[in-house]
Amino acid sequence: VDVTFGGGGHSMRILEKLKGGRLIAFDQDEDAKRQAENIQSRSFTFCQANFKYLKQYLKLNNVAKVDGVLADLGISSYQIDTPERGFSTRFDGPLDMRMDKKSALTAARILNEYPQEKLHKILGMYGEVRNAKTVATAIEQQRGVRKFGTNTDLIKMLKPLSPRGKEFKYYAQVFQALRIEVNQELEALESFLKQCSEVIIPGGRLVVMSYHSLEDRM
């Protein structure tokens, strides 16, 4: 199982190596689904779902146990490079950051509606932002004057608060915090990891690629 299909790079390589096996891939992203439609292989099944529904979708596909599971956490390069998705600090775009476009919660909504205490907690926990309380206060003041709509709105506000020479790392930490909250990533990861122990055969393998300490620790 490839639970983070993304642009399909890992899935394509797994399919090249499969001999008589089957690959089931997961991704909740609409763009990933379109990418998956290009794969013409009888050994391949795509599930448009979050990997927290691993067991449920395996059961729907008459699979009880699997030999291996691959998870490449975070966002795909395609998502980062698409400005209108709002994931990147490099491009201007709407403050969206939803992996599942059907979800109601966006980054803009968090910035414009969450109480200051909740913003403080998210920035500190999910972004490990050192001056999280200062940022939360600045967000509250800014939205009182003008609502947040685009990445540029947020970066302009963050600029005077960021450590000199480390601005881009700092912006990335704030964006990471918002993205994790929008997509409830840590809750999904915890649920997924618990299910892995139930579906992987003895001697099977779980491979997880993670990019920040919150995921590593889990």
Side-chain angles (χ1 to χ4, degrees):
V1 186
D2 175 1
V3 295
T4 47
F5 180 81
H10 289 130
S11 281
M12 297 288 275
R13 290 306 299 269
I14 293 166
L15 284 166
E16 282 172 22
K17 304 278 182 188
L18 272 187
K19 289 180 175 64
R22 182 179 179 194
L23 173 66
I24 297 176
F26 283 72
D27 207 301
Q28 59 191 339
D29 196 299
E30 194 67 44
D31 294 326
K33 182 187 174 216
R34 277 193 286 276
Q35 196 71 25
E37 284 163 2
N38 297 321
I39 298 179
Q40 304 295 317
S41 168
R42 286 184 178 176
S43 308
F44 179 71
T45 306
F46 180 79
C47 305
Q48 191 181 359
N50 187 301
F51 58 43
K52 67 182 176 187
Y53 302 115
L54 176 68
K55 272 176 73 178
Q56 188 180 324
Y57 275 83
L58 288 180
K59 196 175 175 184
L60 283 171
N61 285 283
N62 302 312
V63 176
K65 298 283 181 182
V66 303
D67 297 286
V69 177
L70 169 69
D72 182 4
L73 304 175
I75 39 178
S76 67
S77 53
Y78 178 83
Q79 288 169 326
I80 294 169
D81 294 336
T82 309
E84 57 269 25
R85 300 300 297 272
F87 286 110
S88 178
T89 58
R90 289 182 292 132
F91 309 115
D92 193 27
L95 280 160
D96 191 323
M97 303 194 197
R98 290 172 299 172
M99 290 177 182
D100 177 0
K101 290 181 187 174
K102 295 189 287 292
S103 166
L105 187 63
T106 63
R109 199 166 155 194
I110 290 168
L111 291 165
N112 292 322
E113 295 178 15
Y114 272 26
Q116 187 188 325
E117 306 77 51
K118 201 170 178 185
L119 288 168
H120 175 197
K121 190 178 168 189
I122 288 164
L123 293 163
M125 270 173 54
Y126 297 162
E128 299 177 298
V129 176
R130 291 235 173 121
N131 58 347
K133 193 171 186 180
T134 308
V135 180
T137 306
I139 290 167
E140 191 175 50
Q141 289 169 347
Q142 169 70 33
R143 71 190 184 193
V145 180
R146 183 165 172 257
K147 295 280 188 200
F148 289 91
T150 67
N151 293 4
T152 304
D153 295 340
L154 178 57
I155 286 169
K156 267 185 192 167
M157 191 221 75
L158 292 172
K159 209 168 189 176
L161 306 174
S162 58
R164 193 169 292 175
K166 294 181 180 172
E167 291 89 349
F168 289 102
K169 183 179 184 241
Y170 182 79
Y171 302 154
Q173 285 174 277
V174 174
F175 273 57
Q176 174 183 294
L178 291 168
R179 194 198 80 220
I180 289 173
E181 175 66 13
V182 167
N183 299 290
Q184 302 291 299
E185 288 177 36
L186 297 180
E187 291 88 340
L189 178 60
E190 185 175 4
S191 173
F192 158 73
L193 290 170
K194 284 176 179 167
Q195 292 173 63
C196 282
S197 65
E198 296 169 39
V199 301
I200 298 174
I201 61 160
R205 189 165 292 187
L206 168 64
V207 177
V208 182
M209 294 183 238
S210 71
Y211 300 91
H212 55 79
S213 55
L214 300 171
E215 293 168 343
D216 280 346
R217 285 197 289 268
M218 203 179 281

